[in-house]
Amino acid sequence: MPHISNVTQRALRLFLLFLCFGLIVGYHHSVPAEDSVSAVQWRMRADMTLLDFGYKEFDDAGRLLDREDGTLPGVALNLARAEGNWTLSGRFTWHAGDVLYDGQTNTGVPVRSRTDENILDSSLLIERRMRVLQDSIPLALYGGIGYRYWERDIRPTRTAAGQAVDGLSEIYRWRYVFLGGRTVLYDFGASRWQLDLRVFRPYRPTIEVDQQGRNDTVILDLGEHTGWRVSFPWEYRTGERTRLVLEPYAEGWDLGRSPTETLTRNGVPVGTVYELRSVTRNVGLNIGVQRFF
């Protein structure tokens, strides 16, 4: 689909710009090879990622109406600068692929199809490292802001009786704020294992619904609900300035039902439209390399 191609190109441009910025900064701020990692102020991490995507929509009575499930590959890039006990870091992630759609038509007829997904996320955080007591386990507290762009393109399909069902394109956008903390669970030799807990809150999430020419495109406001993320990053020192990183994680996003709005065709009202309440539960694995400068 041309629209998906445009999203893919935009994601590639953002990722390449972020990568070029990291390489330039890392080059100009690199330290001699004999210096210790403790003196390093910059680090960059690049990941290949797998996301086990799970999405559900519910009606006002709480009944499940449709769901999407599947595995999405992706990439991620993180760039950070440390100054004493403070760290400022930015992260960009992109997942794309298709998943199984299991739902129903407006009249309740069951249908199955595939949905093309593009999920872009960028965030910026500031972190403060500390110890609650001397010689205690280290703790890091952080907060930040982010932006999420998610496109769903449900492909046309047919019912079991052969009735044609049109496709549907939806674009979700929202900014969010988050707070979190990290601590070390295990640190011995070349290995270190951490626990990272985070809560986030979307701000003014919206959905743009495109019925592919059947009616006018409409933008709906969605409800704001608190989400969460938990991860267990494991690092293994492979060199003086490099680390292998494995990070399993789980996260949850919840978006509330939209208000009912007028649906139009060429500007003429033809009915009403609203977006259902939805929940997203993802489990993923990031596999990457971290480099200190």
Side-chain angles (χ1 to χ4, degrees):
M1 297 183 182
H3 193 51
I4 292 179
S5 178
N6 290 338
V7 173
T8 301
Q9 292 176 18
R10 182 161 59 247
L12 284 172
R13 286 197 297 267
L14 287 171
F15 182 76
L16 290 173
L17 284 173
F18 202 84
L19 179 61
C20 290
F21 173 71
L23 292 174
I24 292 170
V25 169
Y27 173 79
H28 286 293
H29 292 271
S30 60
V31 294
E34 61 271 13
D35 288 355
S36 66
V37 171
S38 61
V40 173
Q41 293 184 330
W42 288 91
R43 66 177 182 268
M44 185 168 62
R45 173 177 157 189
D47 295 347
M48 300 297 294
T49 72
L50 285 176
L51 177 67
D52 184 17
F53 178 79
Y55 172 80
K56 296 179 181 179
E57 290 184 339
F58 300 88
D59 66 12
D60 293 340
R63 293 185 296 263
L64 176 65
L65 293 183
D66 62 76
R67 63 185 300 161
E68 295 177 355
D69 296 281
T71 301
L72 300 174
V75 293
L77 185 67
N78 191 92
L79 179 66
R81 176 178 173 85
E83 289 283 354
N85 290 322
W86 293 90
T87 299
L88 178 67
S89 66
R91 184 168 177 83
F92 170 83
T93 65
W94 173 39
H95 292 91
D98 66 280
V99 300
L100 174 66
Y101 174 89
D102 189 353
Q104 55 187 279
T105 66
N106 291 336
T107 58
V109 179
V111 293
R112 280 196 166 193
S113 183
R114 304 291 296 182
T115 300
D116 296 301
E117 311 280 2
N118 271 282
I119 305 173
L120 284 72
D121 192 287
S122 59
S123 61
L124 183 70
L125 70 83
I126 186 167
E127 176 185 275
R128 175 71 161 85
R129 293 178 299 280
M130 65 189 72
R131 290 182 183 270
V132 179
L133 298 172
Q134 189 174 5
D135 298 327
S136 66
I137 296 175
L139 175 67
L141 301 178
Y142 60 81
I145 57 175
Y147 176 77
R148 197 167 183 90
Y149 176 100
W150 169 29
E151 179 176 325
R152 302 171 65 212
D153 278 296
I154 305 172
R155 300 174 185 172
T157 187
R158 291 184 178 275
T159 65
Q163 178 186 0
V165 179
D166 294 327
L168 181 68
S169 175
E170 296 179 336
I171 299 176
Y172 295 78
R173 299 180 179 91
W174 66 82
R175 297 179 293 275
Y176 61 93
V177 296
F178 59 91
L179 294 172
R182 269 188 316 109
T183 190
V184 176
L185 299 177
Y186 173 85
D187 192 353
F188 183 77
S191 296
R192 184 172 65 166
W193 184 32
Q194 301 180 78
L195 170 64
D196 191 327
L197 298 174
R198 177 182 304 185
V199 293
F200 38 74
R201 183 80 175 183
Y203 173 68
R204 299 183 65 180
T206 64
I207 180 173
E208 178 182 325
V209 182
D210 180 1
Q211 296 183 334
Q212 301 181 352
R214 299 186 302 277
N215 295 300
D216 298 335
T217 298
V218 61
I219 297 178
L220 304 171
D221 295 324
L222 301 173
E224 303 172 358
H225 295 283
T226 301
W228 54 269
R229 185 180 191 273
V230 56
S231 70
F232 297 91
W234 175 76
E235 298 179 5
Y236 184 79
R237 186 170 65 249
T238 57
E240 181 65 21
R241 304 191 182 285
T242 57
R243 304 285 187 272
L244 172 66
V245 182
L246 299 179
E247 183 182 11
Y249 69 91
E251 64 181 13
W253 295 91
D254 292 48
L255 297 173
R257 180 193 189 277
S258 76
T260 301
E261 302 288 350
T262 300
L263 182 65
T264 63
R265 182 181 303 144
N266 298 323
V268 179
V270 294
T272 59
V273 62
Y274 65 90
E275 178 64 16
L276 301 167
R277 178 179 70 88
S278 67
V279 300
T280 301
R281 298 292 182 263
N282 298 328
V283 176
L285 176 65
N286 300 329
I287 305 173
V289 175
Q290 185 167 251
R291 171 72 177 174
F292 293 85
F293 300 92

